[in-house]
Amino acid sequence: MRQIITGLLILAVLSFISCVQKTFKKTVVFTLDVSEIKNCKSVGIRGNDQPLSWDKDLKMKEIKKDSLFEITVSGETAFQFTEVKFVVNGVFELQNNNNRRIYFDKEKDTTYYKAKFNRN
């Protein structure tokens, strides 16, 4: 009986270990065009994977006055994509629409994603 219980425990542990997905370090460079927005005071991004969050903006850096903002985000993931939305002046883009789904580059560790605010 003891051998059966031990065998079952070992089998349970092995099956749990084999279910863990392999993770990869991925980097995404997000570039956002806000040139159609007047009085742009703050630009951020929210999303699924750390360091992003749906609760708080991650501030984007202005790279061209009043028109282009950029941020580089890196993290570990087992997924092939991430989901995000941009936020300008405290307002989420694409309201009542799905999040932007960004598929990671399969060949490289870094994915480059360019977007225009509130446009798919």
Side-chain angles (χ1 to χ4, degrees), residues 58-86:
L58 191 57
K59 186 178 177 182
M60 296 181 73
K61 180 181 176 185
E62 186 175 47
I63 59 172
K64 186 175 180 188
K65 182 132 178 79
D66 297 326
S67 63
L68 284 179
F69 287 76
E70 191 171 85
I71 191 166
T72 301
V73 178
S74 296
E76 293 280 330
T77 184
F79 297 102
Q80 297 177 357
F81 64 88
T82 190
E83 292 188 1
V84 302
K85 280 199 176 179
F86 296 103

Side-chain angles (χ1 to χ4, degrees), residues 20-73:
V20 175
Q21 290 180 322
K22 186 175 180 181
T23 62
F24 303 93
K25 182 171 182 173
K26 292 294 182 179
T27 299
V28 182
V29 179
F30 294 96
T31 305
L32 182 64
D33 180 340
V34 296
S35 58
E36 294 180 3
I37 306 216
K38 304 235 186 284
N39 298 322
C40 186
K41 294 180 178 18
S42 66
V43 177
I45 185 171
R46 295 189 189 191
N48 280 348
D49 302 306
Q50 290 291 331
L52 300 177
S53 159
W54 290 112
D55 298 323
K56 183 179 177 187
D57 293 355
L58 191 57
K59 186 178 177 182
M60 296 181 73
K61 180 181 176 185
E62 186 175 47
I63 59 172
K64 186 175 180 188
K65 182 132 178 79
D66 297 326
S67 63
L68 284 179
F69 287 76
E70 191 171 85
I71 191 166
T72 301
V73 178

